Amino acid sequence: MLVSPEFRKQLEGYGLTTAEILYYRPDAPSLLQTYIWQDLDIFPDFPTLRRFLDFWTRKLDGPLHSVQVAHNRLIKPAEFVMRDGTYTIN
């Protein structure tokens, strides 16, 4: 059975990263526009997002205003909580 590259990344610690990028429109520099970027990346360094933003600043015309980042690991260690008592379910 083959495992997808995305699943392998998740096992290596990558998590779903979403960035809201605000940038100035090249044709109307006084206006801001939003771009949503999403990919698997590693917290807290975000190398994949940094490569994308480096590409943006080198190749695209719209200068960046700000970037907000949200991150969540999709595969986490199991969490167990010990409870006192015995419960009977009929």
Side-chain angles (χ1 to χ4, degrees):
M1 223 161 79
L2 294 176
V3 177
S4 72
E6 290 80 15
F7 184 71
R8 285 187 188 276
K9 279 186 165 183
Q10 291 175 41
L11 291 176
E12 295 168 2
Y14 283 74
L16 184 62
T17 303
T18 304
E20 178 186 31
I21 301 168
L22 284 177
Y23 65 97
Y24 294 100
R25 291 182 49 135
D27 58 340
S30 62
L31 297 177
L32 289 172
Q33 187 151 343
T34 301
Y35 179 82
I36 302 297
W37 175 92
Q38 195 171 57
D39 203 348
L40 294 174
D41 212 347
I42 298 177
F43 176 83
D45 296 326
F46 301 113
T48 308
L49 176 59
R50 288 181 184 272
R51 276 193 301 276
F52 176 74
L53 294 175
D54 288 343
F55 165 80
W56 184 298
T57 55
R58 282 184 286 110
K59 301 288 185 179
L60 301 180
D61 292 333
L64 296 174
H65 174 272
S66 60
V67 179
Q68 287 188 1
V69 180
H71 176 81
N72 188 21
R73 287 192 63 182
L74 300 175
I75 297 178
K76 304 173 188 172
E79 296 178 9
F80 294 99
V81 178
M82 297 300 290
R83 301 285 182 199
D84 291 335
T86 303
Y87 305 95
T88 304
I89 300 174
N90 293 336

Coordinates of all heavy atoms in Angstrom, one line a residue:
M1 N 0.8 -1.2 0.0 CA 0.0 0.0 0.0 C 0.9 1.2 0.0 O 1.8 1.3 0.8 CB -0.9 0.0 1.2 CG -2.3 0.4 0.9 SD -3.5 -0.1 2.2 CE -3.2 1.1 3.4
L2 N 0.6 2.2 -0.9 CA 1.3 3.4 -0.9 C 0.8 4.5 0.0 O -0.5 4.6 0.2 CB 1.3 4.0 -2.4 CG 2.0 3.1 -3.4 CD1 1.8 3.7 -4.8 CD2 3.5 3.0 -3.1
V3 N 1.6 5.2 0.6 CA 1.2 6.3 1.5 C 1.5 7.6 0.8 O 2.5 7.8 0.2 CB 2.1 6.2 2.8 CG1 1.7 7.4 3.7 CG2 1.8 4.9 3.5
S4 N 0.5 8.5 0.9 CA 0.7 9.8 0.2 C 1.8 10.7 0.8 O 2.1 10.6 2.0 CB -0.6 10.6 0.2 OG -0.9 11.1 1.5
P5 N 2.4 11.5 0.0 CA 3.5 12.4 0.5 C 3.0 13.3 1.6 O 3.7 13.6 2.5 CB 4.0 13.2 -0.7 CG 3.5 12.4 -1.9 CD 2.3 11.6 -1.5
E6 N 1.7 13.7 1.5 CA 1.1 14.6 2.5 C 1.0 13.9 3.8 O 1.3 14.5 4.9 CB -0.2 15.2 2.0 CG -0.2 16.1 0.8 CD 0.0 15.4 -0.5 OE1 -0.2 14.2 -0.6 OE2 0.3 16.1 -1.5
F7 N 0.6 12.7 3.8 CA 0.5 11.9 5.1 C 1.9 11.7 5.7 O 2.0 11.8 6.9 CB -0.2 10.6 4.8 CG -0.5 9.8 6.1 CD1 -1.4 10.2 7.0 CD2 0.3 8.6 6.3 CE1 -1.6 9.5 8.2 CE2 0.0 7.9 7.5 CZ -0.9 8.4 8.4
R8 N 2.9 11.4 4.9 CA 4.2 11.3 5.4 C 4.7 12.6 6.1 O 5.3 12.5 7.1 CB 5.2 10.9 4.3 CG 5.1 9.5 3.8 CD 6.2 9.2 2.9 NE 6.0 7.9 2.3 CZ 6.4 6.7 2.8 NH1 7.0 6.8 4.0 NH2 6.2 5.6 2.2
K9 N 4.4 13.7 5.4 CA 4.8 15.0 6.0 C 4.1 15.2 7.4 O 4.7 15.6 8.3 CB 4.4 16.1 5.1 CG 5.3 16.4 4.0 CD 4.9 17.7 3.3 CE 6.0 18.2 2.4 NZ 5.6 19.5 1.7
Q10 N 2.8 14.8 7.5 CA 2.1 14.9 8.8 C 2.8 14.1 9.8 O 2.9 14.5 11.0 CB 0.7 14.6 8.6 CG -0.1 15.6 7.8 CD -1.5 15.1 7.5 OE1 -2.2 14.6 8.4 NE2 -2.0 15.4 6.3
L11 N 3.2 12.9 9.5 CA 3.9 12.0 10.5 C 5.2 12.6 10.9 O 5.7 12.4 12.0 CB 4.1 10.6 9.9 CG 2.8 9.8 9.7 CD1 3.2 8.5 9.0 CD2 2.1 9.6 11.0
E12 N 5.8 13.4 10.0 CA 7.1 14.1 10.3 C 7.0 15.4 11.1 O 7.9 16.1 11.4 CB 7.9 14.3 9.0 CG 8.3 13.1 8.3 CD 8.8 13.3 6.9 OE1 8.9 14.5 6.5 OE2 9.1 12.4 6.2
G13 N 5.7 15.8 11.4 CA 5.5 16.9 12.2 C 4.9 18.1 11.5 O 4.7 19.2 12.1
Y14 N 4.7 18.0 10.2 CA 4.1 19.1 9.5 C 2.6 19.2 9.9 O 2.0 18.2 10.2 CB 4.1 18.8 8.0 CG 5.4 19.1 7.3 CD1 6.5 18.2 7.5 CD2 5.6 20.2 6.5 CE1 7.7 18.5 6.9 CE2 6.9 20.4 5.9 CZ 7.9 19.6 6.1 OH 9.1 19.8 5.5
G15 N 2.1 20.4 9.9 CA 0.7 20.7 10.2 C 0.1 21.6 9.2 O 0.8 22.3 8.4
L16 N -1.2 21.7 9.2 CA -1.9 22.5 8.2 C -1.7 24.0 8.6 O -2.0 24.4 9.7 CB -3.4 22.2 8.2 CG -4.3 23.0 7.2 CD1 -3.8 22.7 5.8 CD2 -5.7 22.7 7.4
T17 N -1.2 24.8 7.7 CA -0.9 26.2 7.9 C -1.7 27.0 6.9 O -1.7 26.7 5.8 CB 0.6 26.4 7.7 OG1 1.3 25.6 8.6 CG2 0.9 27.9 8.0
T18 N -2.4 28.0 7.5 CA -3.2 28.9 6.7 C -2.6 30.3 6.9 O -2.5 30.7 8.1 CB -4.7 28.9 7.0 OG1 -5.1 27.5 6.9 CG2 -5.5 29.8 6.1
A19 N -2.4 31.0 5.8 CA -1.9 32.4 6.0 C -2.8 33.4 5.2 O -3.2 33.1 4.1 CB -0.5 32.5 5.4
E20 N -3.2 34.4 5.9 CA -4.0 35.5 5.3 C -3.0 36.6 4.9 O -2.4 37.2 5.8 CB -5.1 36.0 6.2 CG -5.9 37.1 5.5 CD -6.9 37.8 6.5 OE1 -6.6 37.8 7.7 OE2 -7.9 38.3 6.0
I21 N -2.8 36.8 3.6 CA -1.8 37.8 3.2 C -2.6 39.0 2.7 O -3.4 38.9 1.7 CB -1.0 37.1 2.0 CG1 -0.3 35.9 2.6 CG2 0.0 38.1 1.5 CD1 0.3 35.0 1.5
L22 N -2.3 40.1 3.3 CA -2.8 41.4 2.8 C -1.7 42.1 1.9 O -0.5 42.1 2.4 CB -3.2 42.3 3.9 CG -4.5 42.0 4.6 CD1 -4.7 43.0 5.8 CD2 -5.6 42.1 3.7
Y23 N -2.0 42.5 0.8 CA -1.0 43.2 -0.1 C -1.7 44.4 -0.8 O -2.9 44.5 -1.0 CB -0.4 42.2 -1.1 CG -1.4 41.6 -2.1 CD1 -1.5 42.2 -3.4 CD2 -2.3 40.6 -1.8 CE1 -2.5 41.7 -4.3 CE2 -3.2 40.1 -2.7 CZ -3.3 40.6 -4.0 OH -4.2 40.2 -4.9
Y24 N -0.8 45.3 -1.2 CA -1.2 46.4 -1.9 C -1.4 46.1 -3.4 O -0.6 45.4 -4.0 CB -0.2 47.6 -1.9 CG 0.0 48.1 -0.5 CD1 1.0 47.7 0.3 CD2 -0.9 49.0 0.1 CE1 1.2 48.2 1.6 CE2 -0.8 49.5 1.4 CZ 0.3 49.1 2.1 OH 0.4 49.5 3.4
R25 N -2.5 46.5 -4.0 CA -2.8 46.2 -5.4 C -1.8 47.0 -6.3 O -1.6 48.2 -6.1 CB -4.2 46.6 -5.7 CG -5.2 45.7 -5.1 CD -6.6 46.0 -5.5 NE -6.7 46.2 -7.0 CZ -7.6 45.7 -7.7 NH1 -8.6 45.0 -7.2 NH2 -7.6 45.9 -9.0
P26 N -1.2 46.4 -7.2 CA -0.2 47.1 -8.1 C -0.9 48.2 -8.9 O -0.3 49.2 -9.1 CB 0.3 46.0 -9.0 CG -0.1 44.7 -8.4 CD -1.3 44.9 -7.5
D27 N -2.2 48.0 -9.3 CA -2.8 49.0 -10.2 C -3.5 50.1 -9.4 O -3.9 51.1 -9.9 CB -3.9 48.3 -11.1 CG -4.9 47.5 -10.3 OD1 -4.6 47.2 -9.1 OD2 -6.0 47.2 -10.8
A28 N -3.6 49.9 -8.1 CA -4.3 50.9 -7.2 C -3.6 50.8 -5.8 O -4.1 50.1 -4.9 CB -5.8 50.6 -7.0
P29 N -2.4 51.4 -5.6 CA -1.6 51.2 -4.5 C -2.2 51.6 -3.1 O -1.7 51.2 -2.1 CB -0.3 52.0 -4.7 CG -0.3 52.3 -6.2 CD -1.7 52.2 -6.6
S30 N -3.3 52.4 -3.2 CA -3.9 52.8 -1.9 C -4.9 51.7 -1.5 O -5.5 51.9 -0.4 CB -4.6 54.1 -2.1 OG -5.6 54.0 -3.1
L31 N -5.2 50.6 -2.3 CA -6.1 49.6 -1.9 C -5.4 48.3 -1.5 O -4.4 48.0 -2.1 CB -7.0 49.3 -3.1 CG -7.9 50.4 -3.6 CD1 -8.7 50.0 -4.8 CD2 -8.9 50.9 -2.5
L32 N -6.0 47.6 -0.5 CA -5.4 46.3 -0.1 C -6.3 45.2 -0.6 O -7.5 45.4 -0.8 CB -5.4 46.2 1.4 CG -4.4 47.1 2.2 CD1 -4.7 47.0 3.7 CD2 -3.0 46.7 1.9
Q33 N -5.7 44.1 -0.9 CA -6.4 42.9 -1.3 C -5.9 41.7 -0.5 O -4.8 41.7 0.0 CB -6.2 42.6 -2.8 CG -7.0 41.5 -3.3 CD -7.3 41.6 -4.8 OE1 -7.2 42.7 -5.4 NE2 -7.8 40.6 -5.4
T34 N -6.8 40.7 -0.3 CA -6.5 39.5 0.5 C -6.2 38.3 -0.4 O -6.9 38.1 -1.4 CB -7.7 39.2 1.4 OG1 -7.9 40.3 2.2 CG2 -7.4 38.0 2.3
Y35 N -5.2 37.6 0.0 CA -4.9 36.3 -0.6 C -4.8 35.3 0.5 O -4.1 35.5 1.5 CB -3.6 36.4 -1.4 CG -3.2 35.1 -2.1 CD1 -3.7 34.8 -3.3 CD2 -2.2 34.2 -1.5 CE1 -3.4 33.6 -3.9 CE2 -1.9 33.1 -2.1 CZ -2.5 32.7 -3.3 OH -2.1 31.6 -4.0
I36 N -5.4 34.1 0.3 CA -5.4 33.1 1.3 C -4.5 32.0 0.8 O -4.7 31.4 -0.3 CB -6.8 32.5 1.7 CG1 -7.7 33.6 2.2 CG2 -6.7 31.3 2.7 CD1 -7.3 34.2 3.5
W37 N -3.4 31.6 1.6 CA -2.5 30.6 1.2 C -2.6 29.4 2.2 O -2.8 29.7 3.4 CB -1.1 31.1 1.3 CG 0.0 30.2 1.0 CD1 0.6 29.9 -0.2 CD2 0.7 29.4 2.0 NE1 1.6 28.9 0.0 CE2 1.7 28.6 1.4 CE3 0.6 29.3 3.4 CZ2 2.5 27.8 2.0 CZ3 1.4 28.4 4.1 CH2 2.4 27.7 3.4
Q38 N -2.6 28.2 1.8 CA -2.7 27.0 2.7 C -1.8 25.9 2.2 O -1.8 25.6 1.0 CB -4.1 26.6 2.8 CG -4.4 25.7 3.9 CD -5.9 25.5 4.1 OE1 -6.6 25.0 3.1 NE2 -6.5 25.8 5.2
D39 N -1.1 25.3 3.1 CA -0.2 24.2 2.8 C 0.3 23.5 4.1 O 0.0 24.1 5.2 CB 1.0 24.7 2.0 CG 1.7 23.6 1.2 OD1 1.4 22.4 1.4 OD2 2.5 23.9 0.3
L40 N 0.9 22.4 4.0 CA 1.5 21.8 5.2 C 2.8 22.4 5.5 O 3.6 22.6 4.6 CB 1.7 20.3 4.9 CG 0.4 19.5 4.8 CD1 0.7 18.0 4.4 CD2 -0.4 19.5 6.0
D41 N 3.1 22.8 6.7 CA 4.3 23.4 7.1 C 4.7 23.1 8.5 O 3.9 22.5 9.3 CB 4.1 25.0 7.0 CG 5.4 25.7 6.6 OD1 6.5 25.1 6.7 OD2 5.3 26.8 6.2
I42 N 5.9 23.5 9.0 CA 6.3 23.2 10.3 C 6.3 24.4 11.2 O 6.9 25.4 10.8 CB 7.8 22.6 10.2 CG1 7.8 21.3 9.5 CG2 8.3 22.3 11.6 CD1 9.1 20.7 9.3
F43 N 5.7 24.3 12.3 CA 5.7 25.4 13.3 C 7.0 25.3 14.1 O 7.4 24.2 14.5 CB 4.5 25.2 14.3 CG 4.4 26.2 15.4 CD1 3.8 27.4 15.2 CD2 4.9 25.8 16.7 CE1 3.8 28.3 16.3 CE2 4.8 26.7 17.7 CZ 4.3 28.0 17.5
P44 N 7.6 26.4 14.5 CA 7.3 27.8 14.4 C 8.1 28.5 13.3 O 7.9 29.7 13.0 CB 7.7 28.4 15.7 CG 9.0 27.6 16.1 CD 8.7 26.2 15.6
D45 N 8.9 27.7 12.5 CA 9.8 28.4 11.5 C 9.1 28.6 10.2 O 9.4 29.5 9.4 CB 11.0 27.6 11.3 CG 11.9 27.5 12.5 OD1 11.9 28.5 13.3 OD2 12.5 26.5 12.8
F46 N 8.1 27.8 9.8 CA 7.3 27.9 8.6 C 8.2 28.0 7.4 O 8.1 29.0 6.6 CB 6.3 29.1 8.7 CG 5.4 29.0 9.8 CD1 5.4 29.9 10.9 CD2 4.4 28.0 9.8 CE1 4.5 29.8 11.9 CE2 3.5 27.9 10.9 CZ 3.6 28.8 11.9
P47 N 9.1 27.0 7.1 CA 9.9 27.2 5.9 C 9.2 27.2 4.6 O 9.6 27.9 3.7 CB 10.8 25.9 6.0 CG 10.1 25.0 6.9 CD 9.3 25.8 7.8
T48 N 8.1 26.5 4.5 CA 7.3 26.5 3.2 C 6.7 27.8 3.0 O 6.8 28.4 1.9 CB 6.3 25.4 3.2 OG1 6.9 24.1 3.6 CG2 5.6 25.2 1.9
L49 N 6.1 28.4 4.0 CA 5.5 29.8 3.9 C 6.6 30.8 3.6 O 6.4 31.7 2.8 CB 4.7 30.1 5.2 CG 4.1 31.5 5.2 CD1 3.2 31.8 4.1 CD2 3.5 31.7 6.6
R50 N 7.7 30.7 4.2 CA 8.8 31.7 4.0 C 9.3 31.6 2.6 O 9.5 32.6 1.9 CB 10.0 31.4 5.0 CG 9.6 31.9 6.4 CD 10.8 31.6 7.3 NE 10.5 31.9 8.6 CZ 10.6 33.1 9.2 NH1 11.0 34.1 8.4 NH2 10.3 33.3 10.4
R51 N 9.4 30.4 2.0 CA 9.8 30.3 0.6 C 8.7 30.9 -0.3 O 9.1 31.6 -1.3 CB 9.9 28.8 0.2 CG 11.3 28.2 0.5 CD 11.5 26.9 -0.1 NE 10.6 25.9 0.2 CZ 10.6 25.1 1.3 NH1 11.6 25.3 2.2 NH2 9.7 24.2 1.5
F52 N 7.4 30.7 0.0 CA 6.4 31.3 -0.8 C 6.5 32.9 -0.7 O 6.3 33.6 -1.7 CB 5.0 30.8 -0.3 CG 3.9 31.5 -1.1 CD1 3.6 31.2 -2.4 CD2 3.1 32.5 -0.5 CE1 2.6 31.8 -3.1 CE2 2.1 33.1 -1.1 CZ 1.8 32.8 -2.5
L53 N 6.6 33.4 0.5 CA 6.7 34.9 0.7 C 8.0 35.4 0.0 O 7.9 36.5 -0.5 CB 6.7 35.2 2.2 CG 5.3 34.9 2.8 CD1 5.4 35.2 4.3 CD2 4.2 35.7 2.2
D54 N 9.1 34.7 0.0 CA 10.3 35.1 -0.7 C 10.0 35.2 -2.2 O 10.4 36.2 -2.9 CB 11.4 34.2 -0.4 CG 12.0 34.3 1.0 OD1 11.7 35.4 1.6 OD2 12.7 33.4 1.4
F55 N 9.3 34.2 -2.7 CA 8.9 34.2 -4.1 C 8.0 35.4 -4.4 O 8.2 36.1 -5.4 CB 8.2 32.9 -4.5 CG 7.4 32.9 -5.8 CD1 8.1 32.8 -7.0 CD2 6.1 33.2 -5.8 CE1 7.4 32.9 -8.2 CE2 5.4 33.2 -7.0 CZ 6.0 33.1 -8.2
W56 N 7.1 35.6 -3.5 CA 6.1 36.8 -3.7 C 6.9 38.1 -3.8 O 6.7 38.9 -4.8 CB 5.2 36.8 -2.5 CG 4.1 37.9 -2.7 CD1 4.3 39.2 -2.7 CD2 2.7 37.7 -2.7 NE1 3.1 39.9 -2.8 CE2 2.1 38.9 -2.8 CE3 1.9 36.5 -2.7 CZ2 0.7 39.1 -2.9 CZ3 0.5 36.7 -2.7 CH2 0.0 38.0 -2.8
T57 N 7.8 38.3 -2.9 CA 8.5 39.6 -2.9 C 9.5 39.7 -4.1 O 9.7 40.8 -4.6 CB 9.3 39.8 -1.6 OG1 10.2 38.7 -1.4 CG2 8.4 40.0 -0.4
R58 N 10.0 38.6 -4.6 CA 10.9 38.7 -5.8 C 10.2 38.8 -7.1 O 10.6 39.5 -8.0 CB 11.8 37.4 -5.8 CG 13.0 37.5 -4.9 CD 13.9 36.2 -5.0 NE 13.3 35.0 -4.4 CZ 12.8 34.0 -5.1 NH1 12.9 34.0 -6.4 NH2 12.2 33.0 -4.6
K59 N 9.0 38.1 -7.3 CA 8.4 37.9 -8.6 C 7.1 38.6 -8.8 O 6.7 38.9 -9.9 CB 8.2 36.4 -8.9 CG 9.4 35.6 -8.8 CD 10.3 35.8 -10.0 CE 11.5 34.9 -10.0 NZ 12.3 35.0 -11.2
L60 N 6.4 38.9 -7.7 CA 5.0 39.5 -7.9 C 5.1 41.0 -7.6 O 5.9 41.5 -6.9 CB 4.0 38.8 -7.0 CG 3.9 37.3 -7.2 CD1 2.8 36.8 -6.2 CD2 3.5 37.0 -8.6
D61 N 4.1 41.7 -8.3 CA 4.1 43.2 -8.2 C 3.5 43.8 -6.9 O 3.8 44.9 -6.6 CB 3.4 43.8 -9.4 CG 4.2 43.5 -10.7 OD1 5.4 43.4 -10.6 OD2 3.6 43.5 -11.8
G62 N 2.6 43.1 -6.3 CA 1.9 43.6 -5.2 C 2.7 43.5 -3.9 O 2.9 42.5 -3.4
P63 N 3.2 44.7 -3.4 CA 3.9 44.7 -2.1 C 3.1 44.2 -1.0 O 1.9 44.5 -0.8 CB 4.4 46.1 -1.9 CG 4.0 46.8 -3.2 CD 3.0 46.0 -3.9
L64 N 3.7 43.4 -0.1 CA 3.1 42.8 1.1 C 2.8 43.9 2.1 O 3.6 44.8 2.4 CB 3.9 41.8 1.8 CG 4.2 40.5 0.9 CD1 5.2 39.6 1.6 CD2 2.9 39.8 0.6
H65 N 1.6 43.8 2.7 CA 1.2 44.7 3.8 C 1.4 44.0 5.2 O 2.1 44.4 6.1 CB -0.2 45.2 3.7 CG -0.7 46.0 4.8 ND1 -1.3 45.4 5.9 CD2 -0.7 47.3 5.1 CE1 -1.6 46.3 6.8 NE2 -1.3 47.5 6.3
S66 N 0.8 42.8 5.3 CA 0.8 42.0 6.5 C 0.5 40.5 6.2 O -0.2 40.2 5.2 CB -0.1 42.5 7.6 OG -1.4 42.5 7.1
V67 N 0.9 39.6 7.1 CA 0.6 38.2 7.0 C 0.1 37.7 8.4 O 0.8 37.9 9.4 CB 1.8 37.4 6.5 CG1 1.5 35.9 6.4 CG2 2.3 37.9 5.2
Q68 N -1.0 37.1 8.4 CA -1.5 36.4 9.7 C -1.5 34.9 9.4 O -2.0 34.5 8.4 CB -2.9 36.9 10.0 CG -3.0 38.3 10.5 CD -4.4 38.6 11.0 OE1 -5.3 37.8 11.0 NE2 -4.6 39.8 11.5
V69 N -1.0 34.2 10.4 CA -0.8 32.8 10.2 C -1.5 32.0 11.3 O -1.5 32.3 12.5 CB 0.7 32.4 10.3 CG1 1.0 30.9 10.1 CG2 1.5 33.2 9.3
A70 N -2.2 30.9 10.9 CA -2.8 29.9 11.8 C -2.2 28.6 11.5 O -2.0 28.3 10.3 CB -4.3 29.9 11.6
H71 N -2.0 27.8 12.5 CA -1.4 26.5 12.3 C -2.0 25.4 13.2 O -2.3 25.7 14.4 CB 0.1 26.6 12.6 CG 0.9 25.3 12.5 ND1 1.3 24.8 11.3 CD2 1.3 24.4 13.5 CE1 1.9 23.6 11.6 NE2 1.9 23.4 12.9
N72 N -2.2 24.2 12.7 CA -2.7 23.1 13.5 C -2.1 21.8 13.1 O -2.2 21.5 11.9 CB -4.2 23.1 13.4 CG -4.8 22.1 14.4 OD1 -4.2 21.7 15.4 ND2 -6.0 21.7 14.1
R73 N -1.5 21.1 14.0 CA -1.0 19.7 13.7 C -2.2 18.8 13.5 O -3.1 18.8 14.4 CB -0.1 19.2 14.7 CG 1.2 19.9 14.7 CD 2.2 19.3 15.6 NE 2.5 17.9 15.0 CZ 3.3 17.1 15.6 NH1 3.9 17.4 16.7 NH2 3.5 15.9 15.1
L74 N -2.3 18.1 12.4 CA -3.4 17.2 12.1 C -3.2 15.9 12.8 O -4.2 15.2 13.2 CB -3.6 17.1 10.6 CG -3.8 18.4 9.9 CD1 -3.8 18.1 8.4 CD2 -5.1 19.0 10.3
I75 N -2.0 15.4 12.9 CA -1.8 14.1 13.6 C -1.0 14.5 14.9 O 0.0 15.1 14.9 CB -0.9 13.2 12.7 CG1 -1.7 12.9 11.5 CG2 -0.5 12.0 13.5 CD1 -1.0 12.0 10.5
K76 N -1.6 14.1 16.0 CA -1.1 14.4 17.3 C -0.9 13.2 18.2 O -1.6 12.2 17.9 CB -2.0 15.4 18.1 CG -2.3 16.7 17.3 CD -3.4 17.5 18.1 CE -3.8 18.6 17.2 NZ -4.9 19.3 17.8
P77 N -0.1 13.2 19.2 CA -0.1 12.0 20.1 C -1.4 11.9 20.7 O -2.1 12.8 21.0 CB 1.0 12.4 21.1 CG 1.7 13.6 20.5 CD 0.8 14.2 19.5
A78 N -1.8 10.6 21.0 CA -3.0 10.3 21.7 C -3.0 11.0 23.1 O -2.0 11.0 23.7 CB -3.3 8.8 21.8
E79 N -4.2 11.4 23.5 CA -4.3 12.0 24.8 C -5.2 11.1 25.7 O -6.3 10.8 25.3 CB -4.9 13.4 24.7 CG -4.1 14.4 23.9 CD -4.7 15.8 23.8 OE1 -5.7 16.0 24.4 OE2 -4.2 16.6 23.0
F80 N -4.7 10.7 26.8 CA -5.4 9.9 27.7 C -5.6 10.6 29.0 O -4.7 11.3 29.5 CB -4.6 8.5 28.0 CG -4.5 7.7 26.8 CD1 -3.4 7.6 26.0 CD2 -5.6 6.9 26.4 CE1 -3.3 6.8 24.9 CE2 -5.5 6.0 25.3 CZ -4.3 6.0 24.6
V81 N -6.8 10.5 29.5 CA -7.1 11.1 30.8 C -7.6 10.0 31.7 O -8.6 9.3 31.4 CB -8.2 12.2 30.7 CG1 -8.5 12.8 32.0 CG2 -7.7 13.3 29.7
M82 N -7.0 9.8 32.9 CA -7.4 8.8 33.8 C -8.6 9.4 34.7 O -8.5 10.5 35.2 CB -6.3 8.4 34.8 CG -5.1 7.7 34.0 SD -5.6 6.2 33.1 CE -5.9 5.2 34.5
R83 N -9.6 8.6 34.8 CA -10.8 9.1 35.6 C -11.0 8.1 36.8 O -10.7 6.9 36.7 CB -12.1 9.0 34.8 CG -12.0 9.9 33.6 CD -12.2 11.3 34.0 NE -12.2 12.2 32.8 CZ -12.0 13.4 32.7 NH1 -11.7 14.1 33.9 NH2 -12.0 14.1 31.6
D84 N -11.4 8.7 37.9 CA -11.7 7.8 39.1 C -13.1 7.3 39.0 O -14.0 8.0 38.5 CB -11.6 8.6 40.4 CG -10.1 9.0 40.6 OD1 -9.2 8.3 40.2 OD2 -9.9 10.0 41.3
G85 N -13.3 6.1 39.4 CA -14.7 5.5 39.4 C -15.0 4.5 38.4 O -14.2 4.4 37.4
T86 N -16.1 3.8 38.5 CA -16.5 2.8 37.6 C -17.9 3.3 37.2 O -18.8 3.6 38.0 CB -16.6 1.4 38.2 OG1 -15.3 1.1 38.7 CG2 -17.0 0.4 37.2
Y87 N -18.2 3.2 35.9 CA -19.5 3.6 35.4 C -20.1 2.4 34.7 O -19.5 1.7 33.9 CB -19.3 4.8 34.4 CG -18.6 6.0 35.1 CD1 -17.2 6.1 34.9 CD2 -19.3 6.9 35.8 CE1 -16.6 7.2 35.5 CE2 -18.7 7.9 36.4 CZ -17.3 8.1 36.3 OH -16.7 9.2 36.9
T88 N -21.4 2.2 35.0 CA -22.1 1.1 34.4 C -23.2 1.7 33.4 O -23.9 2.6 33.8 CB -22.9 0.3 35.4 OG1 -21.9 -0.2 36.4 CG2 -23.6 -0.9 34.8
I89 N -23.2 1.2 32.2 CA -24.1 1.7 31.2 C -25.0 0.5 30.9 O -24.6 -0.6 30.6 CB -23.4 2.2 29.9 CG1 -22.5 3.3 30.3 CG2 -24.4 2.6 28.9 CD1 -21.7 3.8 29.1
N90 N -26.3 0.7 31.1 CA -27.3 -0.4 30.9 C -27.6 -0.6 29.4 O -27.7 0.2 28.6 CB -28.6 -0.1 31.6 CG -28.4 -0.2 33.1 OD1 -27.4 -0.8 33.5 ND2 -29.2 0.4 33.9

